Amino acid sequence: MPYTTYLVEKGASHSFVAEAKPPTVTMPRIKALMTGSLPGFVDVIRNLNSPALLEDSVIRQAKAAGKRIVFYGDETWVKLFPKHFVEYDGTTSFFVSDYTEVDNNVTRHLDKVLKRGDWDILILHYLGLDHIGHISGPNSPLIGQKLSEMDSVLMKIHTSLQSKERETPLPNLLVLCGDHGMSETGSHGASSTEEVNTPLILISSAFERKPGDIRLPKHVQQTDVAATLAIALGLPIPKDSVGSLLFPVVEGRPMREQLRFLHLNTVQLSKLLQENVPSYEKGSHPAPAKRPTGTAQKG
């Protein structure tokens, strides 16, 4: 992926290795990315027929704020967020032998939607790489071809966003991530290093980078994505999120803004603790000093 590699090594970007907690299957991982919470193993059962997501999420907050969201790809998103997209086209992940049409059905929308100005958030969930893993494993010769295809898709999106920025005062944010990895046999669901380590790259002209600035990818939690996206979009952090703001993303901002973002994250996590930890002390102030002995007081 030469274009993506260039952006990671020299471009205006921040890259991370995001740890996904098991179960490393699609539906729980989408929930983790959008809510910042940790779904349980009961979600493995729901993975094939996902019910609508009732928890607070970045998607819910974005819709409430009037943001127009467009989605193309894995239909799991449509099941989780049935009334949140102004436009969508879901693709079934059931036929794992198909690693071509599932992605073509996403990419065919790109040229038109990138030219339009009637959306605020665009979500694309490609399936081909996952399907190749299931068919012939991570060392399949088909993997390289698919990664090259995905690199071209990222380049198309990034160059389009760059050209649009000339017309708008605010910078765009492009996020590239995986919901899970794959084992040496091409499967996923468990907790091997290959299954839980996922790529996370945030790309924006807001991330200034000087020549020779080498940034090694830090290890973070997949649940950190929700808090970071919420703050980047000016939205409330989902109330059940256990994630932390990815601080490198805001390091270039004025100190006052950095402190405000950290304060928002702290207040949200504090409320979560108060609601879920019985022993959490809401007011851990020292007891008031007693009056000196001998002072007359009425009972």
Side-chain angles (χ1 to χ4, degrees), residues 179-196:
D179 52 341
H180 55 73
M182 67 172 72
S183 70
E184 292 180 358
T185 60
S187 64
H188 56 90
S191 58
S192 70
T193 301
E194 293 80 9
E195 289 166 275
V196 301

Side-chain angles (χ1 to χ4, degrees), residues 58 225-238:
V58 175
V225 173
T228 304
L229 286 180
I231 286 173
L233 292 165
L235 303 170
I237 300 172

Side-chain angles (χ1 to χ4, degrees), residues 144-193:
Q145 298 171 26
K146 181 57 68 174
L147 289 175
S148 178
E149 178 187 336
M150 293 298 99
D151 193 51
S152 299
V153 167
L154 185 126
M155 181 170 66
K156 180 191 287 281
I157 297 169
H158 185 235
T159 52
S160 173
L161 293 178
Q162 281 185 309
S163 64
K164 278 190 171 185
E165 282 193 3
R166 302 186 189 110
E167 308 160 14
T168 58
L170 292 174
N172 292 297
L173 174 65
L174 174 58
V175 180
L176 175 66
C177 65
D179 52 341
H180 55 73
M182 67 172 72
S183 70
E184 292 180 358
T185 60
S187 64
H188 56 90
S191 58
S192 70
T193 301

